[in-house]
Amino acid sequence: MALFSFEGVTVQGEDRPRLDAIDLELPEGGVTAIVGPSGSGKSTLLRCANRLQAPDDGIVRYRGRDLAQIDVLAHRREVGMVFQRPVAFPGTVAENLRVADPDLDDAAAGALLERVALDAALLGRQASELSGGEAQRMGLARSLATSPRVVLADEPTASLDEDAAHQLEQLLRRLADDGVDVLLVSHSPEQVQRLADRVVALREGRLEHGPQPVAAAEARP
Amino acid sequence: MNGHVGWGGLAIAVVVVLVAAGLSRAWRLGLERDLVVAIVRSLAQMLLVAVALGLVVADGVSIWWSWLWVVAMVGFASITMRRRAPALPGLLRIALIATGTTAAVGIAITFGIGIFPVQPRTLVPVAGMLVGNSMSAGVVACRRLSHAIGERRDEIEARLALGQPWPHAARPMLREILRTAISPQIESTKALGIVFLPGAMTGLILAGVDPLDAVLVQLALMYVILGGVVTMTTVTTVAAARRLFTRDHRLLPVPRQAD
């Protein structure tokens, strides 16, 4: 069964559809990259998978279940999301992690930070004082606090310097190797080659390769 | 005090505002136009109110005219809130219900516990204080909500993406908005008797009422107003925020509010 399937999914934009009758099946496992130029509908596709966006037409299914019919809050805890710009909530790093899991004790919070290559000593630091790369990794740790089976990453390295971007890529790869499915929106062909197992290419809201992703090696530009 | 100012006295008072406008011009603060508009509008409105109030509170005039006045105040306050935050969907209906309920409950308590007798002469000013203070706080809250929902969209969606329901995701933002909107009313209640002596109490004392009785009347009135402002502003803001989210906890697109 597909991890996500999009059946005739259309999302209207201001002047043209952001997604135009997409039929797509994304299999489980590894890293699936969603690529395409700006405005091609990559982020919209990802937001539909988390139901931050609802399609104007069509059905999005997660493991066969229509997202419009299931408990969306439970779904979002199972399908975490990392955004393009790091979002630090007011308060300390520990308080940020406890937004996702209020019962998280210090040991578990420290372990989450270490999982994303951050020092557990940062728990008491104000989240607003973190660097961009640290804040993005904290955002990933916050998403992992709900023990998701899938992580959606919307150009998570776009606002990071090269070192921080590489570090985040390694973390995403490690997550995928540990059995967490990763859907990665990226505009960098190099990043896709380094990280992705398969690729979905979008252009102007339509798929370039048909309803199945292609292997990353085949998608080499 | 003989209660008579006259046009000459009023002109002197206007000079003070003109000095303020001069300061604004010297510092290029751009407030001159607003100050002049405020003077002209308040002058026209208050003269009209004086004439209309004179008709409404005259001996032998039915109190229903005063009730009609109260309804008009509620309508005007709600339309003002809607105009100041046009990006918020359904705000007029929400404001009408919240302001109308606040006025009704406030009036019922004020006259129910006997702060004043139910007369045209008391009904309109009491309702004015309730609706006016609520409207001021409501306008601040709705404008800030309209701005914040655009500025903090990333934060709210990040919270929703963690599986938080919309009331949790919006709560930090709503808390800040409500504190900002309501704190002036709370501060003026705290400063009561120290920084300023409110009008109703001063008027009663000047009219020969025992100061303790005057203080009790003023306090009861202030508490009703404070409760009304906090309740109305909270209900309006939370209800307006609710309309920004779908049943399945998605944040709807909201047009940017112009300054």
Side-chain angles (χ1 to χ4, degrees):
Chain A
M1 183 183 296
L3 181 67
F4 282 101
S5 54
F6 298 78
E7 301 170 9
V9 169
T10 296
V11 174
Q12 297 296 347
E14 281 180 15
D15 44 5
R16 63 173 177 78
R18 279 185 276 166
L19 292 177
D20 191 358
I22 294 280
D23 285 305
L24 174 66
E25 293 214 330
L26 300 177
E28 282 187 85
V31 176
T32 303
I34 302 163
V35 302
S38 291
S40 58
K42 309 184 295 291
S43 295
T44 305
L45 191 78
L46 212 62
R47 288 168 59 83
C48 283
N50 192 262
R51 205 160 169 84
L52 284 175
Q53 176 98 45
D56 294 302
D57 198 12
I59 296 172
V60 182
R61 293 185 194 278
Y62 171 67
R63 298 183 195 276
R65 293 175 300 163
D66 181 353
L67 287 190
Q69 307 294 331
I70 64 173
D71 175 358
V72 70
L73 300 181
H75 172 71
R76 287 177 185 159
R77 296 179 75 77
E78 191 170 320
V79 179
M81 189 151 179
V82 181
F83 295 84
Q84 188 170 341
R85 277 178 298 197
V87 180
F89 303 148
T92 63
V93 171
E95 286 164 347
N96 264 261
L97 299 181
R98 289 193 181 105
V99 170
D101 179 4
D103 299 326
L104 205 64
D105 61 29
D106 282 349
L112 269 177
L113 287 190
E114 281 164 9
R115 199 171 165 197
V116 297
L118 285 176
D119 192 335
L122 289 176
L123 278 178
R125 174 91 62 90
Q126 286 297 311
S128 57
E129 293 172 5
L130 299 179
S131 69
E134 287 172 334
Q136 193 62 303
R137 278 182 281 155
M138 179 197 70
L140 179 58
R142 198 169 55 200
S143 296
L144 296 178
T146 63
S147 306
R149 297 173 73 187
V150 182
V151 167
L152 311 173
D154 187 2
E155 300 203 43
T157 59
S159 59
L160 305 185
D161 62 40
E162 205 172 327
D163 286 346
H166 274 288
Q167 217 163 10
L168 197 72
E169 280 177 19
Q170 286 169 358
L171 289 168
L172 291 173
R173 186 66 251 175
R174 201 182 310 151
L175 272 180
D177 294 343
D178 289 346
V180 177
D181 297 301
V182 176
L183 261 61
L184 169 75
V185 164
S186 177
H187 65 272
S188 159
E190 295 78 18
Q191 184 178 61
V192 170
Q193 288 305 318
R194 282 196 297 270
L195 197 55
D197 298 300
R198 63 189 80 84
V199 176
V200 173
L202 284 165
R203 182 176 290 274
E204 296 187 345
R206 293 184 178 186
L207 294 168
E208 288 207 328
H209 298 293
Q212 305 288 339
V214 296
E218 291 175 34
R220 195 181 296 274
Chain B
M1 182 179 136
N2 58 17
H4 183 76
V5 173
W7 294 104
L10 188 64
I12 291 171
V14 168
V15 168
V16 179
V17 186
L18 293 179
V19 169
L23 269 178
S24 166
R25 194 175 175 79
W27 283 83
R28 298 185 181 177
L29 300 177
L31 300 171
E32 311 91 271
R33 192 182 138 81
D34 279 348
L35 283 169
V36 171
V37 168
I39 290 175
V40 173
R41 265 191 69 160
S42 60
L43 183 69
Q45 286 168 193
M46 292 301 278
L47 288 177
L48 205 64
V49 163
V51 173
L53 206 53
L55 293 173
V56 168
V57 303
D59 289 339
V61 174
S62 168
I63 197 169
W64 286 106
W65 289 106
S66 299
W67 285 112
L68 194 63
W69 187 304
V70 175
V71 170
M73 276 197 284
V74 169
F76 180 79
S78 305
I79 290 168
T80 302
M81 274 188 260
R82 168 77 181 91
R83 279 178 46 205
R84 300 302 301 275
L88 300 180
L91 184 58
L92 180 61
R93 187 162 173 263
I94 293 166
L96 273 172
I97 293 170
T99 315
T101 308
T102 301
V105 172
I107 288 168
I109 294 171
T110 305
F111 294 107
I113 63 176
I115 298 177
F116 295 116
V118 188
Q119 293 170 350
R121 196 172 283 278
T122 53
L123 180 59
V124 173
V126 165
M129 282 188 270
L130 278 163
V131 174
N133 283 293
S134 297
M135 184 190 77
S136 301
V139 164
V140 171
C142 291
R143 279 186 68 78
R144 287 192 71 88
L145 175 61
S146 203
H147 279 290
I149 207 74
E151 287 167 3
R152 297 177 68 165
R153 191 174 187 90
D154 288 355
E155 180 193 334
I156 295 166
E157 288 207 320
R159 289 177 186 273
L160 292 172
L162 290 169
Q164 286 201 323
W166 81 263
H168 290 210
R171 190 170 293 153
M173 174 189 70
L174 293 178
R175 195 182 291 140
E176 279 177 34
I177 289 170
L178 288 171
R179 279 190 179 151
T180 305
I182 290 166
S183 62
Q185 194 68 39
I186 293 175
E187 292 307 319
S188 68
T189 306
K190 281 182 189 169
L192 211 57
I194 300 171
V195 179
F196 75 99
L197 300 175
M201 184 186 88
T202 310
L204 288 169
I205 293 172
L206 290 174
V209 174
D210 180 75
L212 182 60
D213 286 340
V215 162
L216 290 178
V217 165
Q218 184 65 62
L219 281 176
L221 204 54
M222 288 297 286
Y223 295 157
V224 170
I225 291 171
L226 178 63
V229 167
V230 174
T231 308
M232 180 272 180
T233 310
T234 304
V235 167
T236 303
T237 310
V238 172
R242 172 71 190 91
R243 296 288 301 263
L244 299 171
F245 293 87
T246 61
R247 282 178 186 277
D248 61 349
H249 307 275
R250 281 180 288 116
L251 177 57
L252 293 168
V254 181
R256 285 249 170 206
Q257 161 112 30
D259 284 321

